[in-house]
Amino acid sequence: MGKILKLKNPIMINNSSVSEMTYDANEINGMLFTEAEARRKSAAGIRNVTINPAIEFDVGLHLYLGFAAILAVNAAYDFADLERIHGADLIAVMDIGRNFIMKPEESAPDNTERPSGTTPEPTTPQSEILNSVE
């Protein structure tokens, strides 16, 4: 299901000002993923090609996966267009990529016992001593 990214800083794509982009991370396929990774490495330069941070902390990959989520549903765009996104909009695109990478936390089953609305009657009779105190 596609969502809409509203840009605070519109960019020009195909001679049009674009301030909103649809995206769908669920549409990222293997080719888009590997192209995003290759472009991230290329953008980082030679110095980062041999060092791969844990995928959870690879913000450059998150950015390019965010781009991939946009490209997956916008055939008229390409990576070069999206690389013109700037400012706070970059963080929004990185969030899209990060959310694609990070698995949602599984909700743990609730094993806690909850008290019922009524208190059950005691099953053992009250002792004679307690009866005489009342």
Side-chain angles (χ1 to χ4, degrees):
M1 183 169 134
K3 297 180 182 177
I4 296 176
L5 171 65
K6 295 184 182 207
L7 300 176
K8 294 176 181 172
N9 304 298
I11 61 172
M12 295 296 289
I13 299 178
N14 300 327
N15 295 321
S16 297
S17 179
V18 176
S19 60
E20 290 184 349
M21 298 178 171
T22 55
Y23 68 92
D24 189 347
N26 197 46
E27 295 298 319
I28 296 173
N29 60 25
M31 290 303 295
L32 272 173
F33 188 97
T34 55
E35 186 171 357
E37 183 180 28
R39 287 182 175 268
R40 189 263 312 162
K41 286 181 178 182
S42 176
I46 282 278
R47 68 186 182 282
N48 195 27
V49 172
T50 58
I51 300 171
N52 287 322
I55 197 166
E56 296 88 356
F57 304 114
D58 191 345
V59 295
L61 181 59
H62 298 171
L63 176 64
Y64 277 89
L65 286 173
F67 290 162
I70 295 167
L71 294 173
V73 293
N74 292 285
Y77 301 172
D78 64 25
F79 279 100
D81 292 325
L82 301 180
E83 287 170 340
R84 290 193 295 274
I85 293 174
H86 59 281
D89 297 328
L90 281 176
I91 304 303
V93 175
M94 283 173 37
D95 286 347
I96 294 167
R98 184 197 66 232
N99 292 341
F100 174 73
I101 289 295
M102 305 299 283
K103 290 181 183 177
E105 290 187 25
E106 301 286 331
S107 56
D110 186 7
N111 293 330
T112 60
E113 289 188 31
R114 300 188 196 285
S116 65
T118 59
T119 304
E121 293 293 323
T123 56
T124 56
Q126 194 171 16
S127 71
E128 290 298 319
I129 298 172
L130 288 176
N131 283 337
S132 64
V133 174
E134 292 177 2

